[in-house]
């Protein structure tokens, strides 16, 4: 009889890289779950409703003008919806700007999945997202631009937008979590700087989703 494939590995990584017991419901997540996020139409919804019934990959980005965030979200956009649906997993991006910036950002990146904002950064603060840049040797596999060209494009987008703003706090860092159902935490990665992204392929493997080849939007790699 053929061996059945092993279930996806689930890791619990805390803010200081400590393992969290499986199924633990941290108090900070219960607090964050009560806070409201805003969708592109200005509708408010409790953060906890996003992962109440199913697991969710929740990606907090720095700000919508950040070139590294743009390129990371462009790769998130390449994940087919049917793969997420088959795994019963939601993919959610959270920004920290006004909700008016959501639809232009989705149009720019081609991102078709769920996206909300936390304009006052309440959830960012509760979950311990960092501010400022810590020096690391990490290079995100999803960022193609260098610092100079990426920064110039970000400033140009700010200057040519309807309002000259950075669409969020430029010092704020983001992170990636796998949450739910309920207030269960399966994985936490808090970015130390703009290039310290959780590799998307790693996150997809943790939730049992086939890995996407990010050099080709339609090719899927079986694992």
């Amino acid at each position: 009889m053929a061996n059945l494939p092993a279930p996806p590995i689930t890791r619990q990584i805390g803010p200081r890289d400590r393992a969290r017991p499986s199924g633990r419901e941290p108090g900070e997540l219960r607090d964050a779950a009560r806070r409201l996020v805003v969708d592109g139409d200005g509708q408010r919804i409790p953060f906890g409703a996003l992962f109440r019934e199913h697991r969710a990959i929740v990606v907090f980005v720095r700000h919508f003008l950040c070139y590294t965030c743009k390129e990371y979200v462009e790769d998130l956009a390449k994940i087919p919806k049917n793969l997420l649906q088959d795994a019963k997993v939601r993919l959610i991006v959270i920004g920290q700007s006004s909700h008016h910036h959501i639809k232009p950002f989705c149009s720019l990146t081609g991102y078709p999945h769920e996206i909300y904002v936390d304009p006052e950064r309440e959830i960012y603060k509760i979950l311990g997202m960092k501010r400022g840049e810590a020096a690391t040797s990490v290079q995100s596999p999803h960022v193609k631009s260098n610092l100079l060209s990426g920064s110039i494009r970000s400033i140009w987008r700010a200057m040519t937008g309807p309002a000259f703003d950075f669409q969020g706090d430029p010092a704020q860092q983001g992170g990636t979590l796998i949450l739910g159902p309920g207030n269960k935490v399966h994985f936490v990665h808090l970015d130390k700087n703009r290039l310290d992204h959780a590799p998307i392929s790693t996150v997809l493997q943790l939730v049992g989703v086939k890995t996407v080849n990010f050099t080709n939007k339609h090719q899927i790699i079986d694992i």
Side-chain angles (χ1 to χ4, degrees):
M1 180 177 178
N3 292 330
L4 294 175
I9 299 171
T10 302
R11 293 188 296 171
Q12 294 83 32
I13 301 177
R16 297 181 182 176
D17 295 335
R18 297 177 300 177
R20 283 178 170 167
S22 179
R24 181 180 172 188
E25 299 183 3
E28 61 267 26
L29 182 58
R30 289 196 297 271
D31 186 11
R34 293 191 290 266
R35 307 306 168 115
L36 300 177
V37 292
V38 188
D39 68 15
D41 295 319
Q43 299 298 312
R44 298 178 180 272
I45 181 173
F47 177 57
L50 304 180
F51 48 87
R52 182 178 298 142
E53 303 295 334
H54 300 286
R55 288 178 302 163
I57 300 168
V58 185
V59 177
F60 289 81
V61 297
R62 295 179 66 242
H63 57 87
F64 288 158
L65 281 179
C66 170
Y67 73 94
T68 66
C69 299
K70 170 185 172 289
E71 295 180 9
Y72 190 77
V73 173
E74 285 174 338
D75 276 358
L76 289 175
K78 297 174 183 176
I79 303 171
K81 286 186 176 182
N82 66 294
L83 295 186
L84 297 168
Q85 292 167 351
D86 290 347
K88 296 182 171 57
V89 175
R90 301 172 74 171
L91 174 58
I92 299 162
V93 166
I94 305 286
Q96 41 126 352
S97 72
S98 162
H99 74 274
H100 297 98
H101 293 300
I102 289 178
K103 292 180 180 179
F105 183 71
C106 289
S107 178
L108 177 69
T109 59
Y111 179 78
H113 307 292
E114 297 179 71
I115 183 167
Y116 304 87
V117 291
D118 172 23
E120 303 301 323
R121 296 186 293 114
E122 291 183 298
I123 301 169
Y124 283 78
K125 295 171 185 175
I126 293 169
L127 296 181
M129 303 286 171
K130 302 179 185 301
R131 292 188 76 254
E133 299 253 0
T136 69
S137 59
V138 174
Q139 172 67 47
S140 172
H142 304 284
V143 176
K144 297 84 178 173
S145 301
N146 60 39
L147 177 61
L148 178 60
S149 64
S151 298
I152 290 172
R153 282 195 289 270
S154 293
I155 293 171
W156 179 253
R157 286 170 52 211
M159 293 175 62
T160 57
F164 182 59
D165 66 68
F166 280 90
Q167 302 182 23
D169 179 356
Q172 180 66 59
Q173 302 301 321
T176 300
L177 299 86
I178 301 173
L179 305 173
N183 289 335
K184 293 180 181 177
V185 178
H186 304 282
F187 174 85
V188 176
H189 175 89
L190 303 181
D191 301 344
K192 295 181 176 65
N193 57 48
R194 71 188 68 196
L195 295 175
D196 186 30
H197 297 137
I200 298 172
S201 294
T202 299
V203 176
L204 293 179
Q205 289 179 41
L206 292 176
V207 294
V209 174
K210 288 182 179 180
T211 302
V212 176
N213 178 353
F214 292 105
T215 63
N216 184 318
K217 184 171 182 178
H218 302 294
Q219 183 178 355
I220 306 300
I221 302 173
D222 289 319
I223 59 172

